[in-house]
Amino acid sequence: MKIRITSLLASIAVGSVLASPAAAQHAGHSPAEPQQSAEAQADAKTKCEEEAQRHRAMGHPVAEGACEPVAQPEVAMDHSTMDHSTMSHGSTTAQDGHSGMAMPMDAARPETTPGSHEGMDHGSMPHGTPAEGAMDHSQMNQGDMGQAEASNSSMDHGQMDHSQMNHGQTGSQDMQGMDHSAMQMGSNDDIPLLPPPPEAGSGPARAAVAIWGEEAMNEARRELVRETDGGMRFWFQGDRLEYRAREGVDGYLWDIQGYYGGDIDKFWFKSEGEGSFGEPVEGAEVQALWSRAIAPFFDLQTGVRQDLTGPERTHAAIGIQGIAPYQFEVDVAAFVSNKGDVTARFEGELDQRITQRLILQPRAEIALSAQDIPELGIGAGLDRIEAGLRLRYEFAREFAPYVGVSQEWRIGQSADFARAAGEDPSVTNYVVGMRFWF
């Protein structure tokens, strides 16, 4: 027993003599460092086992013993927390065993937690294949993991050095096999389409009458019609203002019309006339009509027609004017004179657009009479037919000059009246004129 104690003391003494230079150099080292390192390893193992248990609960395959520490060679002493300010480096010899050591001179290093990778140098870490015994996450169904769990287990890569990482070996996620057809992209299919409640139609048809009275509501409805019918406006058109070149004495013709009013009711006026240069006007008239819309494209017109030449005649007029199917503009009117004469007139024309500005317009007019009117040169039945073709160019929609040809025929008894007066019952006119409106 005495020999053992003596040997132990001798060993301690020899160790103290041999370690004296190093002991002086490493003054201030904490002797609890190995104990703390063991505690840190135990704590890391515990956390690893908890993490492995959680993954097993989710159905992830985790090998047994994956958290066991891997045998590693003895690591060198960590000098990062040493206080080297009082160390005498001049007395350090090569026999101390520290020659060639690269000791960081930082006063302190940031503490790291087991769950954080801050401060780790990943530049030299192999990222190719996982080390033996590590967890294989490739088979994990991470779609079942809660967002909170994924957030708690995510790494902090803010301080990692990725410059040396080999990303070429990282497999990309192949999303070609994913079926997106069943995804719900915020559609409204789940919103039921229900009929309106029965209370929606239970009220009276004119509920406002019970509050404001029938008279006040009738006036309000009339005001609504006045305010929404397009308003009052004036429109004037010179449909034909032309010079007529023909055999014998050349002539002229005018055909104008216009209105003032709204979409439903209008005051409509018309005037036509023709003659030969150097002679009295052969025929002229003016009409004043009240026009009422009876269909989207037709107006009923009634009023008075006054003849301005020949025997004095005043006619009551009634007719229809509008646009027939296929864009035919028609004007049909019947007249009863103060002498009891009944006549009628049919006019029609069609605009055929060759281009947006060049327009070809065929036009026809037919006049009828219920009886002979010798003083006017009108025979009973078919009185007169006129057909023409005009080509106009619209420099603007409101102004278009034209050229054309017009043929007139007097028919039946009317032709006889024309011959008796020394006139030709068939006349061809070459016309130049203009068409305008504003």
Side-chain angles (χ1 to χ4, degrees), residues 65-388:
C67 295
E68 293 297 329
V70 181
Q72 298 180 356
E74 186 178 354
V75 296
M77 187 178 296
D78 185 8
H79 297 78
S80 62
T81 59
M82 294 180 182
D83 183 10
H84 298 271
S85 60
T86 59
M87 294 176 61
S88 176
H89 295 274
S91 61
T92 304
T93 63
Q95 287 80 7
D96 297 336
H98 294 280
S99 60
M101 293 177 61
M103 300 173 65
M105 302 303 292
D106 298 339
R109 296 177 64 88
E111 296 182 1
T112 60
T113 59
S116 172
H117 297 267
E118 183 177 359
M120 295 176 64
D121 182 11
H122 294 262
S124 59
M125 294 176 64
H127 291 271
T129 59
E132 184 177 358
M135 294 184 186
D136 183 9
H137 293 267
S138 61
Q139 302 299 326
M140 294 184 180
N141 183 10
Q142 303 204 13
D144 298 334
M145 294 175 63
Q147 186 174 1
E149 296 177 355
S151 176
N152 294 334
S153 61
S154 61
M155 292 183 179
D156 181 9
H157 297 268
Q159 302 297 328
M160 292 184 180
D161 180 12
H162 296 268
S163 61
Q164 303 298 326
M165 294 176 67
N166 184 6
H167 294 275
Q169 299 179 2
T170 305
S172 61
Q173 296 180 355
D174 187 5
M175 304 175 68
Q176 296 180 358
M178 297 178 66
D179 183 11
H180 297 269
S181 61
M183 290 186 175
Q184 295 293 333
M185 303 301 292
S187 63
N188 295 328
D189 296 340
D190 55 344
I191 300 178
L193 299 178
L194 301 177
E199 295 81 4
S202 61
R206 298 179 179 269
V209 175
I211 302 174
W212 303 103
E214 185 69 30
E215 183 178 354
M217 289 307 302
N218 287 337
E219 177 59 29
R221 296 185 188 103
R222 288 191 293 267
E223 183 65 22
L224 178 64
V225 172
R226 287 193 295 268
E227 292 179 354
T228 59
D229 70 346
M232 306 294 286
R233 56 189 171 274
F234 174 78
W235 176 79
F236 180 83
Q237 180 185 47
D239 193 22
R240 291 182 295 164
L241 294 175
E242 60 189 33
Y243 169 84
R244 296 188 157 196
R246 59 195 176 195
E247 185 178 355
V249 180
D250 295 341
Y252 55 87
L253 178 142
W254 76 85
D255 181 3
I256 62 175
Q257 60 181 327
Y259 69 80
Y260 176 78
D263 292 338
I264 305 299
D265 296 293
K266 305 178 183 70
F267 168 72
W268 205 291
F269 58 91
K270 303 176 182 180
S271 178
E272 292 186 38
E274 61 178 327
S276 299
F277 291 104
E279 298 180 3
V281 177
E282 296 176 7
E285 66 181 46
V286 61
Q287 299 181 41
L289 307 169
W290 170 70
S291 180
R292 171 80 176 182
I294 58 173
F297 300 102
F298 282 96
D299 288 357
L300 174 65
Q301 298 174 340
T302 181
V304 178
R305 164 190 158 191
Q306 179 65 47
D307 290 343
L308 303 178
T309 60
E312 183 178 347
R313 289 285 194 278
T314 301
H315 306 260
I318 185 172
I320 294 177
Q321 182 174 353
I323 301 177
Y326 302 100
Q327 301 298 311
F328 282 93
E329 296 185 19
V330 297
D331 186 357
V332 180
F335 308 97
V336 179
S337 71
N338 56 342
K339 301 294 184 178
D341 305 324
V342 178
T343 56
R345 186 185 301 162
F346 298 87
E347 298 180 8
E349 59 188 37
L350 175 65
D351 286 349
Q352 296 278 26
R353 290 188 176 272
I354 300 174
T355 68
Q356 288 296 319
R357 295 186 179 274
L358 189 63
I359 301 171
L360 183 66
Q361 183 194 69
R363 186 181 185 279
E365 180 178 339
I366 299 175
L368 303 173
S369 177
Q371 65 283 311
D372 290 336
I373 310 175
E375 60 271 25
L376 298 178
I378 297 175
L382 185 59
D383 171 34
R384 178 173 51 88
I385 297 176
E386 179 180 351

